[in-house]
Every structure is written in C-alpha cells, then in structure tokens.
Amino acid sequence: MLPSLFISHGSPMLALQPGASGPALKTLAATLPRPAAIVVVSAHWESDELQVSSAAQPQTWHDFRGFPPALYAVGYPAPGAPTLASRIAGLLQARLNAQRPFDHGTWVPLSLMYPDADIPVVQVSLPSRLGPAMQLQVGQTLAALRAQGVLLIGSGSITHNLGELDWQAGPEVIEPWALTFRDWVVERLQANDQAALLDYRKQAPFAARNHPSDEHLLPLFFALGAGDRFGIVHQGFTLGALGMDIYRFD
C-alpha cells in the first residue's frame, strides 16, 4: 500500500536546482509502487471552502514572480482525473473546480518524482482558516484511497518564514530557531502526539517565527491524517531557515 507523504517544496527554483531534495524525491518515487493517481494538498491553493480540481488536462501555473525565464518554460502536462475528482468531492462534500491549474506546490515536487508527467493528478484545496484539525480530518477521510493505488501528498514546508531567509547562506547554515521548531515537530510526530501537534501554535517553540501564517504547515496534517507510522525520508535546510524535510506515513 502506498504511504501518505509530506513534502517541503521550498523555492520554485527547486525544479531547476534540486539540491539534496531532488535526489531524495527521485529515490523515494523509485521505491514506491507506481501510483494509479496522485492527490495533492498544496499550500498554494488556499480557499474558503473545500474544492477539488476536476480538469481533464490542467494547465501548469507559474504562480510566482521574479525568477529566471528558464523556470517559466517548465511545464508539467500530467492529466487530471475527473472521475476520481468527483469521487473525492463526494467524500469531502466539496465543490468541483474545472478551471484550477497545477500550482508550483504541486508541479515542482512532482516534476522531480515523476518527470514523465504521465500519472493523473488531482488537487484538493486548503481552507487554511479552518486550521490543522480540518486538514487532519480531510486526510482521514481520504486515507482509504491509499489502498487503491492513490498517492496522497501534502506539499508545504516544515518551516516557512520568507522574511528571515538568508539568500547567501549555504546548506551548512541553519538558524537555531528553525532547527528547534523542526525538531519539536519531529519529536511529536515520533510520539504520535496529535494533541500537541494540533496545538502547535501555542506549544511549539518559535511557532510564529517559523510560520507567520499556517498555510505551509497545514499540508503536514493532511499527510498525518491519511497515514499511520511516521518515517523521515529526508531532512535539511536551505537559505538558513527554509526547512526541506520530507516525511512519510505508512
């Protein structure tokens, strides 16, 4: 059975400069059974209500500015899965969205895992104002899809404070406040302490500094709800404080 995954997708430049995360994602994909379809909750599709992408051929959305022209030339022409989308919408009592393209939280990591772009992909939106408990529930509701060959991915970032990144820092530079927060989350995941994780904004050290807003950590709760046994696939930081961890839940 496929696991559920949490992927820290980092900067959009990950697609062209994969660093240590690219080989980790490639190896991970090679060790998994080939999915029949992929469902992604991305930090970059915030919404007021739950929505499910249902286009047959979603476009690739370069939802960022100020990057090199080569990045805007990258496409990810994976098909959608309208039938699966309708089924998911029924399970979640969500609205179908036939216009939603793939945002970079989806296509950047998938371009490294499945570069042939030949596996159908569905996105589920992120009602971020409803917090982590909602995402845990969404993951629990869709967990049974794992046994049916569907790979469930939460795509965000274990730490995400763009205002405190050091754009000159090498991978050996790690801000203590970012490391302390990351390690607290890992310890709570290893202990399966869902109550503490759901209350992370009050209990975790440096929570607000690492996540001024919730949206990049919330996909972790989707993956947690959809899986069971926690495991670490990859750990690391870029730019001093941008966590690049990848986790799996079997």
Side-chain angles (χ1 to χ4, degrees):
M1 182 166 66
L2 287 163
S4 59
L5 304 176
F6 172 68
I7 296 173
S8 297
H9 60 249
S11 160
M13 284 299 292
L14 186 69
L16 298 181
Q17 299 173 355
S21 292
L25 288 168
K26 182 178 180 180
T27 299
L28 172 61
T31 61
L32 297 176
R34 177 180 168 84
I38 301 169
V39 174
V40 182
V41 170
S42 164
H44 295 281
W45 188 9
E46 293 185 86
S47 62
D48 290 328
E49 60 177 349
L50 271 174
Q51 299 180 45
V52 182
S53 68
S54 59
Q57 293 292 332
Q59 299 296 306
T60 302
W61 185 17
H62 300 88
D63 53 327
F64 40 75
R65 293 183 296 174
F67 288 90
L71 186 58
Y72 297 91
V74 177
Y76 194 74
T83 300
L84 176 61
S86 294
R87 183 178 169 204
I88 291 171
L91 290 170
L92 296 176
Q93 298 183 333
R95 179 169 67 85
L96 292 172
N97 184 327
Q99 282 73 50
R100 178 71 188 184
F102 295 142
D103 61 64
H104 78 270
T106 294
W107 66 262
V108 167
L110 291 184
S111 71
L112 299 172
M113 296 179 73
Y114 301 105
D116 292 338
D118 56 354
I119 299 174
V121 179
V122 171
Q123 283 196 235
V124 176
S125 75
L126 184 71
S128 52
R129 64 184 176 81
L130 299 179
M134 173 65 166
Q135 283 308 300
L136 192 74
Q137 182 180 350
V138 171
Q140 291 168 341
T141 300
L142 300 186
L145 296 177
R146 292 173 45 216
Q148 300 164 29
V150 178
L151 181 61
L152 303 180
I153 298 176
S155 177
S157 190
I158 190 63
T159 63
H160 192 264
N161 185 339
L162 301 186
E164 293 211 42
L165 299 184
D166 180 353
W167 295 90
Q168 308 305 318
E172 74 283 354
V173 177
I174 304 174
E175 291 290 345
W177 52 268
L179 181 62
T180 299
F181 175 85
R182 192 281 305 276
D183 288 350
W184 181 91
V185 172
V186 169
E187 289 168 3
R188 300 278 62 77
L189 288 167
Q190 289 171 332
N192 195 28
D193 189 351
Q194 291 190 7
L197 289 163
L198 288 168
D199 194 34
Y200 88 94
R201 292 203 78 83
K202 292 182 179 178
Q203 296 195 32
F206 307 108
R209 191 172 186 184
N210 281 278
H211 289 280
S213 54
D214 274 335
E215 79 287 340
H216 271 78
L217 193 64
L218 292 179
L220 171 64
F221 292 91
F222 169 70
L224 174 62
D228 295 303
R229 189 173 69 255
F230 167 71
I232 297 170
V233 175
H234 172 74
Q235 290 187 298
F237 284 85
T238 61
L239 309 178
L242 186 61
M244 298 300 296
D245 286 21
I246 302 168
Y247 307 144
R248 63 185 290 164
F249 299 85
D250 288 280

